[in-house]
Amino acid sequence: MEQTAEEEKAALEQQLLQAQKMESIGRLAGGVAHDFNNMLSVILGYSELIKLDSPDDDPLLKKVIEIERAAGHARDITRQLLAFSRKQIIRSRIP
């Protein structure tokens, strides 16, 4: 069954609306990821400084290493968000 011109137009408008929504979500994810990455850089930087200033037998060193490990996992998630945001922005611009 052939689509009428109006049905085709409505379908294309719906696709455009969906692409615009996905681009907005991608931009939001990218913005959040960049801000979060900046905070993680501070956490990781100070963790490294504490480790450098602490003797090997410092009982708090294990806790600092755990903080660093958790921040590393968060950084990996942030990278995934950035990849998602880039993919959505690129995809939505393809006609």
Side-chain angles (χ1 to χ4, degrees):
M1 187 180 224
E2 289 186 29
Q3 280 188 335
T4 67
E6 278 188 38
E7 290 173 335
E8 190 172 320
K9 181 182 175 188
L12 288 173
E13 286 174 349
Q14 186 62 33
Q15 288 176 355
L16 176 61
L17 182 61
Q18 184 64 26
Q20 290 171 334
K21 286 179 186 178
M22 291 305 294
E23 183 171 3
S24 294
I25 291 169
R27 287 185 192 275
L28 176 63
V32 169
H34 277 291
D35 289 346
F36 194 65
N37 197 45
N38 290 339
M39 290 184 275
L40 288 172
S41 294
V42 172
I43 293 168
L44 289 167
Y46 275 105
S47 296
E48 188 63 30
L49 290 174
I50 291 169
K51 283 175 26 182
L52 290 172
D53 290 342
S54 300
D56 290 340
D57 61 345
D58 190 326
L60 293 177
L61 195 56
K62 286 183 181 179
K63 294 177 181 179
V64 172
I65 291 170
E66 285 302 315
I67 291 168
E68 192 175 48
R69 184 176 294 137
H73 288 302
R75 182 184 53 215
D76 294 341
I77 293 168
T78 301
R79 287 181 182 151
Q80 291 174 355
L81 273 173
L82 285 170
F84 169 80
S85 72
R86 289 183 193 119
K87 186 176 181 183
Q88 294 308 318
I89 291 169
I90 290 168
R91 267 195 190 161
S92 65
R93 292 186 181 169
I94 295 172

